[in-house]
Amino acid sequence: MMRQFELVERVRSYDPNADEDAINRAYVYAMKMHGMQKRASGDLYFSHPIEVAGILTSYKLDTASIVTALLHDIVEDTMASLEDVRELFGDEVARLVDGVTKLAKLQIQNMEEKQAENFRKFVLAMSEDIRVLLVKLADRLHNMRTLHFITDPTKRRSIALETMEIYAPLAERIGMQEIKTDLEDLAFGELHPEARTSILARLRFLELHGGELVVKVMDELDQVMRRAGIEGFISGREKTAYSIWRKMQIKDVSFEQLSDIMAFRIMVDKPEDCYRVLGVVHTAYPTIPGRFKDYISTPKRNGYRSLHTSIIGPQRHRIEIQIRTHKMHEVAELGVAAHWRYKGSDLFGDDGAAKSVEGRQYSWLRELLDILEHAQSPQEFLEHTKLEMFHDQVFCFTPKGDLIALPRGASPVDFAYAVHTEVGNTCVGAKVNGRIVPLRTRLQNGDQVEVVTSTKQKPSPEWEGFVVTGKARAHIRRRVRTEARTEYIKLGHEILEKVFTKEGHALTNRGLAGVLDKLDVETIDDLYAKVGEGRLVGREVLVAVYPGARMDGGEDNIVNLSQARLRQTHEGSGSIAIRGRTTGMAIHLAECCHPLPGDRIIGIVVPDRGIEVHTIDCERLSDYTETPDRWVDLAWDADKDQDAHIGRVNLVVVNEPGSLGALSTVIARNFGNISNLKIAKRSKDFFEMSLDIEVRGVKHLTNIIAALRATPAINSVERARS
Ligand code: MN
């Protein structure tokens, strides 16, 4: 175990200005807090954070990162709290420790191929500060090195799988090739021990028979370079067991068929030398077509630069050669961590501008460093770095642990549609982290979302107002449109039935089919829909089919207000039954009189809106006395109707303490539920207000009104009429 002064010395060797005191205090504090806790290896737990800090010193990370490494398990595994860390080590370290702790809590249960990319993004989004991820990667590397001490094979396997699918690719993404290769090879040993053993044995066998192939090839390449007068450094290696295995998998070939098991690297001082080396190599040996890549002129997204080529090389072996400068090599191995190395180095002038062409290539690293140092918040940092592409996303989990990535601002409805179209179409509610929430709730990173469905549910037009994903919006629109059409067709059919029957004519498909052209519709359903929508009056259809029928319909058919008041509407008396609440697409309860089940009602066909339902004494009905064709008899379909309805009342309440309390008590005692309250006027003595109350029907509302009238604090109560 590395001792305190050794760690401090290592940091000081690359950063003379490091905060020694902070590192010393963190070392002592972590040792004290972890106390006698043991690792699976039998070592003291404290050895782990020290090793992690040690790994990070080889990447020359700053003091805050080293301190964070020492403290990274302290909040999760000891009595220390994040507040303690903040008090002792400041905000920056507390923020970083918090980030690593959050990642530690992440339980990745489901590791399907398609999920892995989401998890990687999730880890990046959760990391916020790139140093959180660096500490996490070092933590994972040490845990993988000590993985064999864990006795439970299932646990070993799941850690190895997570390493292979999530952390190794993340290391690659931020350009840390060395960590990536180590993680992969360790995970490979756990996941496919036999494959690894046999590949290694095979490599040893080849070595025995072919001699030191790698050395021979290196010698020959060296001579070729010398003859051309180029100074360079050549390194060669067998590829790792894991990368050979990957090749065998991808290309579906056996080990014997796999020829390029060796990789060589030629490092030179200047970028232009890279191209000279390439020319020399390509002149000396046949190249393998399709394998040349120029990542110097077009660097990879993670900043990687190099030339790649494959040749039939010395001794007729197929080999891969990477050609790069020493500095490109450092960036390739260390990735983002390399930028600490260039801090204050001669690559940059005093103004921070890159001095040379090569320096300019590192400018993105320089920028990253500046942002790290000067950003006010993690958000600001994110906005400026490669991580920002995940900043506009939220990552949520299904109860089974599947990860769903959604745009920021997404609602449970978006989540439901992302899971499956049917889940979206039948979604009635949602639980987020175990609590019931409104469907318009905005989801947060890491939320676990459980969608409640019901086969009776249909997408609501209101959802369109808050969903953010195209998929959800498209499905809602489509369903609402078909839904509305079905209702209009049904309604149109009922209206025509009624009009035709009244005049003693039969409504037949044949009759209707003959007048489709005349009425400018394509199908009989279109005709029904047009009538249901109110764009065509029933009697026009009747006259079209039976030209002898009278357009005005005669005296007896004119429904005027006085007649309407007297008319009894019973179910089954030829009136159209409606389900109370309405709110199909085709039938709407009027806002003016708020009809309730039990009220006598009349329907008015409103073009493009369907039928508007009014109470029979609603004053608005006088607007329609001139257009009797628009009137439709309606009755409540009482049996099917169990929904709550909104009844609106206007009240005048005495302005004194307790009067509002009395009001709500009376309503609650009578099993009403106040859904909305609006104070219209407030004077010294009185409130004038309107209340929306959820009730079962008109009788229920009448009872509540009676009870309110009996309450002393309430001056007057009226059912709202407009
Ligand atoms: Mn750890």
Side-chain angles (χ1 to χ4, degrees):
M1 182 163 76
M2 203 192 309
R3 283 183 292 171
Q4 196 170 337
F5 76 90
E6 286 175 295
L7 179 65
V8 171
E9 213 121 276
R10 274 215 215 174
V11 178
R12 277 179 56 97
S13 74
Y14 61 83
D15 184 5
N17 301 320
D19 185 349
E20 249 179 81
D21 173 57
I23 297 171
N24 280 321
R25 282 188 297 119
Y27 191 104
V28 173
Y29 186 65
M31 183 151 62
K32 185 178 117 202
M33 295 314 291
H34 283 294
M36 295 309 288
Q37 288 173 355
K38 292 256 172 72
R39 298 262 296 172
S41 60
D43 289 340
L44 279 175
Y45 194 94
F46 179 54
S47 63
H48 166 67
I50 294 173
E51 290 299 333
V52 175
I55 291 170
L56 292 179
T57 59
S58 53
Y59 293 95
K60 310 199 181 207
L61 292 203
D62 64 342
T63 305
S65 307
I66 302 296
V67 169
T68 301
L70 290 169
L71 303 176
H72 81 269
D73 277 332
I74 214 163
V75 174
E76 187 71 353
D77 294 341
T78 78
M79 300 293 289
S81 70
L82 194 60
E83 281 318 302
D84 298 337
V85 173
R86 195 185 314 278
E87 230 164 77
L88 291 166
F89 299 96
D91 284 340
E92 186 185 20
V93 169
R95 186 167 53 75
L96 294 173
V97 169
D98 188 35
V100 183
T101 307
K102 274 187 194 142
L103 283 183
K105 282 188 192 148
L106 177 65
Q107 291 279 322
I108 300 177
Q109 296 147 0
N110 182 327
M111 194 70 69
E112 285 170 41
E113 190 74 24
K114 64 178 164 56
Q115 285 288 326
E117 176 58 13
N118 274 341
F119 276 110
R120 290 193 284 268
K121 287 182 185 172
F122 181 60
V123 170
L124 279 179
M126 294 289 281
S127 295
E128 294 195 335
D129 187 316
I130 198 87
R131 289 173 296 180
V132 169
L133 187 57
L134 294 176
V135 174
K136 181 69 198 171
L137 288 173
D139 175 46
R140 179 51 59 117
L141 181 57
H142 184 245
N143 284 336
M144 286 305 292
R145 285 178 183 161
T146 53
L147 187 68
H148 56 281
F149 289 114
I150 292 174
T151 45
D152 177 358
T154 320
K155 195 172 169 194
R156 277 204 314 268
R157 197 185 147 72
S158 94
I159 292 172
L161 206 57
E162 196 183 73
T163 301
M164 192 65 105
E165 299 284 351
I166 310 298
Y167 291 103
L170 279 177
E172 181 177 33
R173 185 170 295 178
I174 59 172
M176 309 187 75
Q177 192 60 33
E178 198 177 282
I179 285 200
K180 176 219 166 198
T181 311
D182 284 357
L183 287 176
E184 271 177 356
D185 216 44
L186 289 161
F188 179 52
E190 174 61 37
L191 295 171
H192 302 280
E194 348 56 48
R196 185 165 186 270
T197 313
S198 63
I199 289 172
L200 289 178
R202 186 72 199 151
L203 286 172
R204 294 294 78 78
F205 174 84
L206 284 181
E207 224 162 71
L208 278 179
H209 291 260
E212 284 287 335
L213 264 184
V214 170
V215 178
K216 283 184 190 163
V217 173
M218 275 171 63
D219 269 352
E220 210 181 307
L221 283 176
D222 190 45
Q223 283 168 33
V224 168
M225 297 255 299
R226 272 172 207 280
R227 261 182 301 200
I230 304 174
E231 282 278 315
F233 176 83
I234 303 173
S235 70
R237 60 182 169 87
E238 284 164 352
K239 294 191 170 172
T240 62
Y242 176 69
S243 73
I244 290 174
W245 187 74
R246 282 284 292 162
K247 275 232 165 90
M248 288 162 65
Q249 269 195 326
I250 291 171
K251 298 190 177 162
D252 197 22
V253 294
S254 70
F255 190 91
E256 276 64 31
Q257 292 168 285
L258 198 69
S259 44
D260 49 350
I261 54 169
M262 291 177 291
F264 295 84
R265 199 170 282 146
I266 301 175
M267 281 177 278
V268 290
D269 282 332
K270 290 180 294 211
E272 47 273 34
D273 292 341
C274 296
Y275 293 99
R276 283 180 63 205
V277 171
L278 182 75
V280 167
V281 169
H282 278 189
T283 312
Y285 304 101
T287 59
I288 299 167
R291 298 287 299 270
F292 171 66
K293 300 233 168 59
D294 182 352
Y295 294 119
I296 292 180
S297 63
T298 316
K300 283 192 189 178
R301 234 175 50 186
N302 64 14
Y304 177 86
R305 301 169 71 212
S306 202
L307 299 177
H308 289 191
T309 187
S310 289
I311 56 171
I312 313 288
Q315 324 258 328
R316 304 293 304 158
H317 286 291
R318 250 173 94 119
I319 58 171
E320 182 186 300
I321 302 181
Q322 301 173 348
I323 306 164
R324 52 174 82 149
T325 66
H326 296 285
K327 273 163 192 156
M328 288 174 192
H329 179 62
E330 198 154 41
V331 173
E333 294 296 299
L334 305 181
V336 289
H339 67 259
W340 273 280
R341 218 163 257 214
Y342 293 106
K343 193 176 174 184
S345 83
D346 59 358
L347 274 175
F348 301 95
D350 291 336
D351 57 356
K355 270 184 184 171
S356 62
V357 177
E358 175 133 3
R360 220 175 292 141
Q361 298 297 335
Y362 289 104
S363 60
W364 68 276
L365 292 175
R366 180 73 194 179
E367 276 162 29
L368 195 64
L369 178 65
D370 281 350
I371 294 159
L372 270 179
E373 280 173 348
H374 300 121
Q376 298 297 311
S377 64
Q379 281 72 26
E380 192 183 327
F381 170 68
L382 273 176
E383 271 164 23
H384 291 96
T385 64
K386 310 266 173 204
L387 303 191
E388 71 180 344
M389 56 188 144
F390 309 117
H391 198 48
D392 53 5
Q393 284 186 283
V394 286
F395 299 89
C396 301
F397 294 89
T398 68
K400 277 187 198 153
D402 286 338
L403 187 64
I404 307 279
L406 296 163
R408 200 154 277 271
S411 66
V413 175
D414 293 293
F415 183 92
Y417 275 104
V419 170
H420 195 276
T421 304
E422 255 328 281
V423 176
N425 282 338
T426 57
C427 149
V428 284
K431 283 185 186 172
V432 170
N433 304 323
R435 290 180 54 190
I436 293 177
V437 299
L439 285 176
R440 56 169 61 245
T441 306
R442 300 212 176 287
L443 297 172
Q444 305 292 322
N445 244 335
D447 278 348
Q448 195 209 57
V449 185
E450 186 182 340
V451 178
V452 185
T453 58
S454 159
T455 49
K456 287 185 195 135
Q457 176 70 356
K458 290 164 189 162
S460 157
E462 288 158 31
W463 293 355
E464 246 199 280
F466 58 78
V467 297
V468 300
T469 52
K471 182 176 183 192
R473 185 163 293 138
H475 280 293
I476 293 165
R477 265 192 206 151
R478 188 180 317 144
R479 287 299 291 255
V480 166
R481 225 184 288 130
T482 23
E483 202 71 30
R485 182 172 156 86
T486 311
E487 283 191 38
Y488 284 134
I489 289 172
K490 190 164 157 254
L491 188 61
H493 188 135
E494 289 182 51
I495 290 173
L496 288 184
E497 270 297 343
K498 213 184 111 205
V499 171
F500 275 62
T501 313
K502 204 173 213 168
E503 293 294 310
H505 292 295
L507 178 69
T508 61
N509 280 349
R510 235 183 106 199
L512 293 179
V515 297
L516 293 181
D517 278 352
K518 196 159 135 196
L519 296 172
D520 194 25
V521 288
E522 298 210 339
T523 67
I524 292 180
D525 273 354
D526 287 347
L527 175 61
Y528 286 145
K530 205 168 175 183
V531 173
E533 285 166 31
R535 290 192 290 130
L536 190 60
V537 177
R539 190 160 289 273
E540 281 179 58
V541 180
L542 177 70
V543 173
V545 180
Y546 299 101
R550 284 172 307 162
M551 187 60 201
D552 63 8
E555 272 312 302
D556 56 338
N557 280 317
I558 296 174
V559 186
N560 64 35
L561 206 56
S562 56
Q563 281 174 311
R565 277 183 203 282
L566 297 172
R567 184 183 305 189
Q568 289 287 336
T569 53
H570 291 299
E571 258 186 275
S573 67
S575 56
I576 295 165
I578 68 167
R579 259 194 89 203
R581 189 152 74 132
T582 67
T583 47
M585 315 294 156
I587 299 183
H588 309 265
L589 295 185
E591 290 286 326
C592 43
C593 50
H594 294 272
L596 289 171
D599 278 330
R600 284 165 54 201
I601 46 177
I602 203 83
I604 298 293
V605 177
V606 181
D608 292 324
R609 226 177 105 78
I611 291 183
E612 206 169 81
V613 184
H614 294 264
T615 58
I616 212 154
D617 55 354
C618 178
E619 283 163 14
R620 289 279 305 281
L621 286 179
S622 58
D623 296 350
Y624 302 102
T625 44
E626 303 301 315
T627 50
D629 278 324
R630 301 212 172 283
W631 291 61
V632 180
D633 283 339
L634 296 174
W636 298 97
D637 190 355
D639 293 345
K640 289 187 199 152
D641 184 23
Q642 297 301 323
D643 296 322
H645 302 272
I646 301 296
R648 180 171 291 178
V649 293
N650 295 328
L651 304 102
V652 178
V653 182
V654 181
N655 188 358
E656 65 184 21
S659 58
L660 285 181
L663 171 77
S664 62
T665 308
V666 170
I667 292 170
R669 252 194 224 134
N670 286 278
F671 308 106
N673 187 21
I674 299 176
S675 68
N676 199 6
L677 181 155
K678 204 163 83 196
I679 295 181
K681 220 161 140 195
R682 185 178 185 156
S683 68
K684 200 156 101 351
D685 303 319
F686 297 106
F687 293 113
E688 277 175 39
M689 61 172 76
S690 86
L691 270 189
D692 286 350
I693 309 173
E694 282 178 20
V695 292
R696 288 185 304 276
V698 69
K699 264 192 195 148
H700 189 190
L701 185 64
T702 311
N703 288 344
I704 291 176
I705 290 175
L708 287 172
R709 284 188 177 138
T711 309
I714 292 159
N715 207 45
S716 72
V717 192
E718 296 294 336
R719 188 163 166 206
R721 282 300 171 205
S722 61

